[in-house]
């Protein structure tokens, strides 16, 4: 077990990645832990974990994924394919002067972390997955699957595919859209059973925000927190973030050689009991003995929604620190 080091102030810096600038924030010293955020977030999603992991004896680093925040935003849609984001993960470790790291991701970051560990086990010695379970590459073409979902309703991933369409909904009122989206997937503000599902839109001119809760923020999100998120997307626009969804078929093709491949490193999963990602992907969780044979820590937090490390920071921090401390020591 690592002896905790005194937590230091957050340190902002930029490194040169394959597509240009990668902005990161780090805290602490010790073995490197890379934290990868999801949609529609930023490094700030890990604000509760950085000091906790630093206090536990780790060098915790949270980056803005390309297309977000102060990282570069390439113009080409295919610049956001998974293989490119994996190379960003590798470049980050190398630029920090390390040979290996633990990588932990949430939402899309969970997928980025998983595929980084799958493709580069020599670098990523362990992988933590929050909210979105690991499902090995393979199966039917993703956009074909999503197009069949929902009947007369359109699944949000399909809605995001056409460049400019979702941006036209989000960008005129970024702050209001983010507030509604965060509330829609949070345990204390999400729609109740029987209300319209915010993961879908009406095919006849509907918008996602039509189904968002209105009037209050989830308990984990302060007005100041929302200001941070909104300020970033008001400056950058939403296209860089949405381009991740527009590469799912490319990822399916790129990763075909890894169809069905397990991740063998030590792994962790933490999901929310009220998160659709956990319930819709229950089969993926049940398959963990085959797909994550190195799984050493798995938890479903009851009464938690999708934004798990922000909704339940103390529990998540405790689980992460215990898991990290259980890993074999670095050389």
């Amino acid at each position: 077990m690592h002896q905790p080091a005194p937590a230091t102030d957050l340190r902002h810096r930029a490194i040169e990645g394959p597509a240009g600038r990668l902005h990161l924030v780090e805290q602490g010293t010790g073995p490197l832990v890379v934290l990868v955020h999801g949609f529609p977030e930023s490094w700030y999603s890990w604000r509760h974990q950085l000091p906790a992991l630093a206090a536990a004896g780790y060098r915790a680093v949270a980056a803005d994924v390309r297309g977000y925040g102060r990282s570069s935003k390439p113009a080409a849609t295919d610049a956001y394919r998974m293989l490119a984001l994996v190379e960003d993960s590798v470049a980050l470790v190398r630029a920090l002067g390390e040979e290996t790291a633990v990588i932990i991701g949430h939402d899309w970051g969970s997928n980025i972390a998983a595929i980084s560990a799958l493709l580069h086990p020599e670098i990523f010695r362990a992988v933590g997955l929050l909210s979105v379970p690991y499902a090995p590459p393979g199966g039917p073409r993703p956009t074909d699957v999503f197009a069949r979902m929902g009947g007369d309703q359109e699944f949000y991933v399909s809605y995001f595919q056409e460049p400019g369409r979702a941006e036209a909904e989000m960008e005129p009122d970024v702050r209001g859209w983010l507030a509604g989206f965060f509330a829609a997937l949070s345990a204390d503000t999400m729609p109740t059973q029987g209300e319209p599902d915010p993961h879908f839109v009406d095919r006849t001119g509907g918008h996602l925000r039509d189904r968002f809760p209105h009037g209050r923020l989830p308990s984990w999100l302060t007005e100041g927190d929302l200001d941070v998120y909104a300020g970033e997307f008001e400056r950058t626009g939403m296209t860089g973030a949405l381009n991740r969804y527009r590469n799912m078929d490319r990822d399916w093709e790129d990763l075909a050689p890894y169809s069905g491949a397990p991740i063998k490193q030590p792994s962790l999963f933490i999901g929310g009991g009220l998160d659709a990602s956990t319930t819709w992907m229950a089969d993926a969780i049940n398959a963990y003995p085959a797909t994550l044979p190195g799984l050493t820590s798995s938890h479903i937090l009851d009464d938690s929604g999708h934004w798990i490390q922000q909704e339940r920071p103390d529990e998540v921090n405790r689980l992460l620190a215990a898991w990290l401390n259980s890993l074999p020591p670095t050389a």
Side-chain angles (χ1 to χ4, degrees), residues 3-316:
Q3 292 298 315
T8 56
D9 291 338
L10 295 175
R11 302 184 296 277
H12 289 257
R13 59 185 291 190
I15 65 165
E16 189 67 22
R21 174 190 174 99
L22 278 176
H23 168 248
L24 57 88
V25 181
E26 63 178 308
Q27 190 166 6
T29 59
L32 178 61
V33 179
V34 175
L35 304 169
V36 189
H37 69 79
F39 174 89
E41 303 178 272
S42 73
W43 76 265
Y44 190 74
S45 308
W46 300 103
R47 63 194 177 279
H48 302 298
Q49 284 66 53
L50 288 164
L53 297 183
Y58 296 92
R59 183 185 186 187
V61 175
D64 285 332
V65 173
R66 72 165 68 182
Y68 287 82
R70 284 179 255 175
S71 291
S72 291
K73 288 162 279 296
T77 301
D78 65 359
Y80 298 84
R81 69 203 313 152
M82 183 61 73
L83 291 181
L85 299 180
V86 168
E87 290 310 305
D88 285 349
S89 300
V90 172
L92 189 152
V93 175
R94 295 291 187 238
L96 293 175
E98 302 288 350
E99 295 183 359
T100 63
V102 175
I103 189 166
I104 300 170
H106 169 257
D107 183 75
W108 263 121
S110 177
N111 294 92
I112 297 169
I115 303 302
S116 296
L118 178 66
L119 271 56
H120 291 284
E122 77 285 0
I123 297 174
F124 300 104
R125 62 189 182 94
V127 58
L129 311 175
L130 273 58
S131 296
V132 175
Y134 175 60
R141 184 180 293 274
T143 54
D144 291 343
V145 174
F146 300 135
R148 292 193 295 267
M149 295 176 64
D152 61 351
Q153 303 174 76
E154 184 178 18
F155 191 48
Y156 78 100
V157 178
S158 297
Y159 178 68
F160 285 171
Q161 292 302 306
E162 180 185 342
R165 184 183 178 199
E167 287 94 327
E169 173 186 344
M170 300 172 183
E171 290 180 352
D173 177 21
V174 169
R175 194 177 194 277
W177 193 91
L178 290 174
F181 190 69
F182 287 138
L185 305 186
S186 297
D188 58 342
T189 48
M190 64 175 52
T192 59
Q193 189 171 7
E195 293 185 301
D197 189 333
H199 295 89
F200 294 86
V201 300
D202 292 331
R203 291 189 185 274
T204 55
H207 298 95
L208 277 173
R209 70 185 309 153
D210 297 341
R211 302 182 175 200
F212 290 168
H214 299 285
R216 68 187 181 107
L217 297 180
S219 59
W220 61 268
L221 185 69
T222 68
E223 296 285 350
D225 295 331
L226 183 57
D227 286 342
V228 172
Y229 286 120
E232 293 290 73
F233 287 111
E234 286 167 351
R235 181 172 53 80
T236 65
M238 300 298 296
T239 297
L242 288 164
N243 277 344
R244 174 82 290 273
Y245 292 90
R246 296 165 184 161
N247 278 276
M248 296 181 76
D249 283 353
R250 289 188 183 91
D251 299 340
W252 179 75
E253 296 169 354
D254 289 343
L255 297 172
Y258 300 91
S259 179
I263 295 173
K264 298 178 181 178
Q265 297 97 304
S267 56
L268 163 143
F269 175 72
I270 309 174
L274 300 178
D275 185 1
S277 299
T278 302
T279 55
W280 287 347
M281 299 186 70
D283 288 347
I285 296 173
N286 293 335
Y288 278 170
T291 62
L292 290 179
L295 184 71
T296 57
S297 183
S298 184
H299 311 270
I300 301 294
L301 302 187
D302 295 336
D303 301 321
S304 181
H306 182 67
W307 318 104
I308 194 163
Q309 81 270 33
Q310 299 178 86
E311 292 187 52
R312 305 281 283 275
D314 292 342
E315 289 167 87
V316 169

